[in-house]
Amino acid sequence: MTTDEGAVSKAILTVLSDGQAMGYEKLEDALLDLGVDLGDDPAGILEEALDSDDLLWIVDLPDERMVLLPALLDGRMFTHRLTAVECGYDVLEIAPDFQPMAELLEDREFARLRDGTFLEVMPTCTCEDHVLHRDRGIPGGVLAEGGALLLPAGLLTSLGLAPGDLVGLRFARGGLDVVRVDVGPQVPDSTELTGAIADALEQRLDHDAPMDFDVALWSAMAESQGLFRTLTTPLGEALDTAGFGHDDGWLAPPELDLVDWSAQQRARGIRLKFDLSTEQAEAVDGLLGLFEKVADLIAGALVSLDDAELDDAELDDAELDDAGALAEVMPQTRLAIADLLNQPGGARDESGAVGAGSGQDSVRGLLRDFTNPAAAEALIWSAIGPDADDGGALVLAVLAGALESHAPRAALANLRWTQAKACERFGQVLAAESLLRQAFDVDSDHIAVLNDLARYASDRGDTTAGLAYLRRAGQDADEELVEVLERYQAAAHRDLGSKEPCWCGSGRRYKRCHLGKETAPLVLRVDWLHHKIGRFLSDGPWHEEIYEVAQARAQFWDRPDAFRAALTDPLVADTVLSEGGALDQFLMDRGVLLPADELLLAQQWALIERSVYEVEAVRPGQGFEARDLRTGERQVVQERSASRQLKVGDLICARLLPCVDSVQVFGGIEPVALYQRTGLMELLDSEPDPVELVDFLSARYAPPTLQNTEGEPLMFCQATLHIPDPAAMAARLDEAYESDESSEGEWVENVQTHGATRVRAFLRLSGDELSIETNSESRLDRVLDTVIGLQPQAQVVSESRTPFGQLPETDDDDLDDDTSAGLLDQQDPAVQQLLAQVVRECEVKWLDQSIPALSGATPREAAADPTRRQDVIRLIDSFPSAAGPGAMDPERLRADLGLV
């Protein structure tokens, strides 16, 4: 028999349902035995079927066989020794004992008990604000890596389980079983288990590398169907006893040092990403190990305080702001860090953190290879990344400072630059600036230090110092900043001698007062200030927010570079600055560096909200006047580009910023349709986040949605039902619907919309088969409910729902004679007269219809209301001016409403 892809998929599931692993050839033979016709390209058909979502849980094994994971695990029980935390909060940590079923537990089809109770998988999360942590009252950081299965409250206690007891989790496609395991005095033998795992590891292609933990266990179970069928030692304990290494999803045989391999992989990734030598990359990896240890020390010290609770993996911003708590713990923490750095021996700890107990000589060895600025960049990026929280930055700053006493002079500039970047992250810019100057004192040719000092000089308005730093940086200078500083460099007063009184009136000599320190007027520095804010946004921890907003902006752009273009859209940056709070953060972090007049202006900008404006006057190429519809305030805006396109009466959304002697727009001007006005103002009043706002404003790019006269999306829907008692159904359909007098066995459902009768649904009964056609899903669902209510024994035989845009096109040549004869000839005078009559009737009815764009008022009511009259004028102005056949005439509508 010939089968489609769906039938092939079902047959594959049937073949693999016994949990046996099978290769392509054996699978093909099994399908042929079932009578499945795979056509001329069996391999291609199999590959296409195996890629379908129906076969999501077929996994590949290293020996090129495949197995159906739920079938492989069916009936197997994994044991685990409970901890006090697990018993106290009714959770089961997944790794490593339950790791073989971890993927399936993410699917609600399998993460449920036999009684149907769904279980939640708690992600690896150290934050107690996570909803599952908060609901169960679990403190952040008490659960190990790998996530945990959240059981019904009280389940472990009801089974009589306590810390140290063994619990079993049996997987079955009918639901999970959580059982108490009584081992007695005899410890279960794990020889068969570890032997099967060792055999599975031999299948890995690279014997110098570990194997994926899940795949190794699946391979072992595929070869040994008896594994985990009887009582076994917890998987993690068996692996540890036999000397297997396991961590972060990897499994290694005893002869392979997983810690060493992991360190090599980390160093290799760092080396390739930052173009470092092997020694430099290993130095960065070693310092990252120290970073993790220092994080533990600081977090542990803070946890010990009654008013500061932090876990050992994540530092909370709120606690870092507690200066008293930090002041109390830092002295003892610095001593602990000093002890850590001076411990003798032991290059790695059991977690694989390089340098965790490395000793003074080893730390100095790491720092001898920490002289390349790229190495410092690698450490900063790897430790705190572009979006890390302030806690990690504090740890890095403390570590970099503590390492100075162990560092050779060649590494000091890198350590101070690292410390400066960390201080920047948690807003300590003056400390960062001081550290940059100290780094410059050690190495006056450090490119990263020179570029950062130039940026600080720019923020302070010191073009002379900024350009001096950049010129010293040479070809690696920040070219964009060079252009900015040269543009705003004020010329000296050539009419004054260096010993003459300064022009500012201070009474000091020009040489000692303003010579070389000239500042352009604020009105000329507005763009410079905007550049400083933009630089903060692009360099700061806002990348994730910018990407989310850019995705919302580009969602309807039909162009290959849509996302990239959205990243440079002015609305994206401005919403992150304003609605996203980045501008407030800029003022908090770097406001102290700004000249006083720029700081005042930036503070004014931070107070300006985005709003909806009506354009009241336009001076093309110069600007426009607009009235804020939320406050009534009027603004005269200086703007060249958009003012050439705006018209009086247009509605726009923008943030209008005061710029000394003018009002300007930096975040773009968004057109607003009349029907959007009320909704947008309500949204702005609700203080939306950037994504919500950009989503709303970008809806204008969405493709038009075809709708029927009831506003439902157009969808060609058909359904066929088997009717056990056609005669009874016909009688009931006569009562429920309007029968078609011209054709027996046909019915229609009608509805009145826009003053006319429309057909909602068409029904035809032929023998024992009832067919239904509608143009929307809601209409079909409504009719199906009615029909089945009329005869509950009726059964749906087939059903299709096709968007109108996906219907096959019909060539005019395919139309039969009867259809062609029925088409209206719009050139026929009689037809034109009929169309004109129908259009006129629609126009008259429209005058008294409730219009959403007029806030529910009718056009006639709006025209008579002085506060709404402009709205109906604007609405009619949006209609096509050259009305064609069948279209309403704007001039007639204006005349009807007295608007001419």
Side-chain angles (χ1 to χ4, degrees):
M1 62 178 180
T2 303
T3 58
D4 59 15
E5 181 183 320
V8 174
S9 298
K10 291 180 181 178
I12 292 174
L13 289 174
T14 300
V15 171
L16 296 177
S17 61
D18 62 355
Q20 298 293 325
M22 193 172 291
Y24 270 85
E25 291 185 5
K26 190 174 179 180
L27 176 60
E28 181 182 335
D29 292 341
L31 292 174
L32 293 174
D33 290 343
L34 287 179
V36 179
D37 184 0
L38 297 176
D40 298 331
D41 183 19
I45 292 177
L46 269 180
E47 186 174 351
E48 187 174 352
L50 289 169
D51 284 340
S52 71
D53 291 340
D54 294 335
L55 304 183
L56 178 66
W57 295 117
I58 292 180
V59 297
D60 294 322
L61 301 179
D63 59 3
E64 297 186 352
R65 293 185 300 167
M66 65 195 80
V67 67
L68 181 62
L69 188 55
L72 177 69
L73 296 177
D74 194 23
R76 301 188 196 253
M77 184 176 75
F78 303 87
T79 60
H80 173 70
R81 197 170 305 281
L82 290 167
T83 67
V85 169
E86 291 172 313
C87 290
Y89 297 105
D90 281 291
V91 297
L92 295 177
E93 293 180 347
I94 293 174
D97 295 335
F98 304 124
Q99 187 63 37
M101 66 172 75
E103 286 196 27
L104 291 180
L105 293 177
E106 296 287 346
D107 191 320
R108 286 177 65 84
E109 178 184 352
F110 304 108
R112 55 186 175 85
L113 300 178
R114 282 190 180 272
D115 63 5
T117 302
F118 286 105
L119 305 179
E120 296 281 359
V121 173
M122 303 176 68
T124 300
C125 177
T126 57
C127 174
E128 59 193 56
D129 284 339
H130 188 282
V131 62
L132 295 180
H133 284 250
R134 188 172 60 247
D135 290 349
R136 187 58 66 90
I138 302 174
V142 300
L143 297 176
E145 295 287 327
L149 193 64
L150 187 66
L151 304 174
L155 177 61
L156 295 178
T157 301
S158 70
L159 294 173
L161 290 165
D165 289 343
L166 284 185
V167 64
L169 186 61
R170 181 182 291 109
F171 182 89
R173 280 177 281 189
L176 298 168
D177 287 321
V178 181
V179 299
R180 176 188 176 89
V181 177
D182 293 313
V183 296
Q186 185 69 33
V187 178
D189 184 24
S190 59
T191 304
E192 180 187 1
L193 170 61
T194 55
I197 293 174
D199 291 342
L201 287 172
E202 285 300 311
Q203 299 177 24
R204 69 192 194 279
L205 297 177
D206 185 357
H207 281 256
D208 292 327
M211 192 174 186
D212 182 279
F213 192 106
D214 292 339
V215 174
L217 267 295
W218 297 338
S219 297
M221 286 184 280
E223 285 300 311
S224 304
Q225 287 292 325
L227 284 185
F228 303 107
R229 302 287 185 189
T230 58
L231 184 61
T232 61
T233 301
L235 179 56
E237 293 181 11
L239 292 173
D240 291 340
T241 300
F244 288 88
H246 55 93
D247 184 35
D248 294 333
W250 295 109
L251 182 61
E255 64 271 15
L256 176 63
D257 188 337
L258 183 58
V259 171
D260 184 65
W261 178 87
S262 298
Q264 291 177 14
Q265 291 303 110
R266 290 194 304 270
R268 180 176 181 271
I270 293 170
R271 176 174 62 81
L272 295 176
K273 183 177 182 65
F274 296 96
D275 192 23
L276 301 174
S277 68
T278 299
E279 294 76 16
Q280 291 166 346
E282 290 176 349
V284 172
D285 187 50
L287 293 174
L288 286 171
L290 289 172
F291 170 82
E292 294 171 4
K293 285 298 180 181
V294 172
D296 290 346
L297 290 173
I298 294 178
L302 287 172
V303 166
S304 67
L305 297 179
D306 292 337
D307 60 343
E309 294 184 359
L310 295 180
D311 58 81
D312 61 0
E314 180 178 62
L315 299 176
D316 188 273
D317 292 348
E319 304 298 344
L320 293 174
D321 291 337
D322 187 342
L326 286 175
E328 184 173 341
V329 304
M330 286 313 295
Q332 67 190 70
T333 303
R334 287 194 176 94
L335 290 175
I337 294 171
D339 289 341
L340 169 68
L341 299 182
N342 284 289
Q343 287 175 4
R348 304 179 192 280
D349 69 358
E350 60 183 9
S351 70
V354 184
S358 55
Q360 191 175 41
D361 292 338
S362 297
V363 170
R364 287 178 176 169
L366 294 176
L367 294 174
R368 278 196 296 270
D369 292 313
F370 191 64
T371 57
N372 186 343
E377 180 186 0
L379 176 62
I380 294 166
W381 191 94
S382 302
I384 60 178
D387 301 310
D389 60 24
D390 291 351
L394 172 67
V395 172
L396 187 59
V398 171
L399 172 63
L403 287 170
E404 282 199 19
S405 61
H406 299 267
R409 180 176 175 80
L412 279 178
N414 263 355
L415 285 174
R416 288 173 182 172
W417 182 60
T418 299
Q419 193 174 357
K421 301 305 287 185
C423 287
E424 271 189 3
R425 180 59 60 84
F426 54 90
Q428 300 297 316
V429 294
L430 295 180
E433 185 179 33
S434 175
L435 287 162
L436 289 171
R437 295 187 189 283
Q438 294 174 39
F440 177 80
D441 291 340
V442 174
D443 182 359
S444 60
D445 292 320
H446 194 293
I447 301 300
V449 170
L450 291 169
N451 281 322
D452 277 346
L453 282 172
R455 182 186 170 202
Y456 274 78
S458 174
D459 283 357
R460 289 189 177 280
D462 190 344
T463 58
T464 302
L467 288 170
Y469 287 127
L470 292 171
R471 291 183 184 119
R472 187 174 187 88
Q475 62 181 5
D476 293 321
D478 185 332
E479 296 296 334
E480 180 189 12
L481 191 54
V482 171
E483 294 178 6
V484 170
L485 293 179
E486 287 180 342
R487 187 186 317 147
Y488 294 103
Q489 189 174 26
H493 284 253
R494 300 186 182 279
D495 56 333
L496 287 178
S498 62
K499 296 183 179 181
E500 293 185 51
C502 185
W503 54 265
C504 71
S506 65
R508 302 171 64 196
R509 291 180 179 180
Y510 179 41
K511 176 181 179 179
R512 295 189 177 278
C513 190
H514 270 91
L515 181 60
K517 305 173 186 177
E518 310 291 349
T519 302
L522 179 59
V523 69
L524 300 179
R525 286 184 276 125
V526 168
D527 286 340
W528 190 6
L529 174 59
H530 194 259
H531 173 270
K532 297 174 186 180
I533 296 171
R535 185 64 176 265
F536 171 81
L537 184 66
S538 62
D539 289 351
W542 305 96
H543 297 83
E544 185 176 346
E545 289 85 347
I546 292 172
Y547 288 167
E548 288 179 359
V549 179
Q551 287 174 340
R553 186 58 165 168
Q555 60 185 309
F556 299 120
W557 289 0
D558 186 16
R559 48 187 290 189
D561 63 338
F563 178 71
R564 182 177 298 179
L567 287 173
T568 61
D569 188 291
L571 179 66
V572 171
D574 197 62
T575 52
V576 175
L577 283 169
S578 179
E579 285 77 10
L583 179 54
D584 291 331
Q585 193 65 49
F586 169 80
L587 291 170
M588 289 176 59
D589 289 359
R590 301 190 75 87
V592 67
L593 302 173
L594 297 177
D597 52 357
E598 290 184 22
L599 175 60
L600 182 60
L601 182 59
Q603 289 170 334
Q604 288 180 273
W605 289 356
L607 297 175
I608 303 299
E609 295 182 350
R610 202 175 313 276
S611 195
V612 182
Y613 296 88
E614 179 183 0
V615 177
E616 296 187 328
V618 178
R619 298 182 306 282
Q622 299 180 48
F624 59 90
E625 297 179 23
R627 176 173 62 91
D628 189 334
L629 298 184
R630 298 166 69 206
T631 66
E633 182 182 2
R634 286 176 166 78
Q635 299 270 24
V636 178
V637 183
Q638 179 179 304
E639 209 285 333
R640 294 181 180 179
S641 179
S643 62
R644 294 188 174 93
Q645 303 172 9
L646 291 174
K647 303 186 302 294
V648 173
D650 281 352
L651 299 178
I652 59 173
C653 180
R655 215 160 62 93
L656 307 184
L657 304 181
C659 297
V660 188
D661 62 350
S662 65
V663 174
Q664 298 181 28
V665 182
F666 285 107
I669 296 175
E670 289 292 300
V672 179
L674 181 61
Y675 72 89
Q676 294 179 307
R677 179 185 60 186
T678 301
L680 179 55
M681 289 196 294
E682 291 174 352
L683 178 64
L684 292 172
D685 288 341
S686 70
E687 299 183 358
D689 64 39
V691 174
E692 289 176 312
L693 180 58
V694 172
D695 253 336
F696 187 100
L697 294 174
S698 299
R700 63 189 174 97
Y701 296 112
T705 303
L706 297 175
Q707 297 180 331
N708 60 25
T709 55
E710 292 182 275
E712 301 161 340
L714 282 178
M715 184 83 68
F716 182 66
C717 301
Q718 293 179 308
T720 302
L721 294 87
H722 171 70
I723 306 299
D725 189 346
M729 176 61 80
R732 292 168 185 166
L733 289 174
D734 283 336
E735 298 176 359
Y737 298 103
E738 185 176 339
S739 60
D740 189 340
E741 298 177 358
S742 64
S743 181
E744 186 177 353
E746 295 183 358
W747 294 265
V748 295
E749 181 185 22
N750 293 324
V751 64
Q752 292 286 327
T753 59
H754 305 299
T757 300
R758 321 281 180 173
V759 175
R760 257 185 174 174
F762 176 79
L763 301 87
R764 178 187 291 113
L765 183 61
S766 178
D768 62 355
E769 189 174 272
L770 177 66
S771 60
I772 304 170
E773 294 182 3
T774 72
N775 67 1
S776 77
E777 290 190 283
S778 59
R779 288 180 175 181
L780 177 63
D781 293 337
R782 189 163 51 242
V783 174
L784 283 174
D785 289 343
T786 300
V787 168
I788 293 176
L790 295 176
Q791 195 167 107
Q793 298 80 13
Q795 292 184 340
V796 177
V797 177
S798 65
E799 184 178 330
S800 65
R801 304 173 186 229
T802 308
F804 268 68
Q806 298 177 14
L807 290 175
E809 295 184 5
T810 303
D811 195 315
D812 290 344
D813 294 338
D814 295 334
L815 297 174
D816 57 34
D817 293 339
D818 291 339
T819 304
S820 299
L823 295 176
L824 294 176
D825 181 4
Q826 294 191 6
Q827 303 304 316
D828 187 330
V831 172
Q832 291 181 344
Q833 182 178 359
L834 176 61
L835 282 175
Q837 180 180 346
V838 171
V839 168
R840 185 55 184 156
E841 290 175 358
C842 289
E843 289 175 351
V844 172
K845 291 175 182 177
W846 180 80
L847 298 174
D848 295 299
Q849 287 179 347
S850 174
I851 306 297
L854 300 175
S855 301
T858 69
R860 202 182 301 277
E861 291 170 343
D865 185 344
T867 65
R868 294 180 176 176
R869 185 178 179 87
Q870 188 59 42
D871 288 345
V872 73
I873 292 174
R874 186 183 292 111
L875 179 61
I876 295 175
D877 286 345
S878 69
F879 293 173
S881 56
M888 293 193 297
D889 188 329
E891 290 303 322
R892 280 203 302 262
L893 294 175
R894 292 188 186 95
D896 291 337
L897 295 173
L899 300 176
V900 293

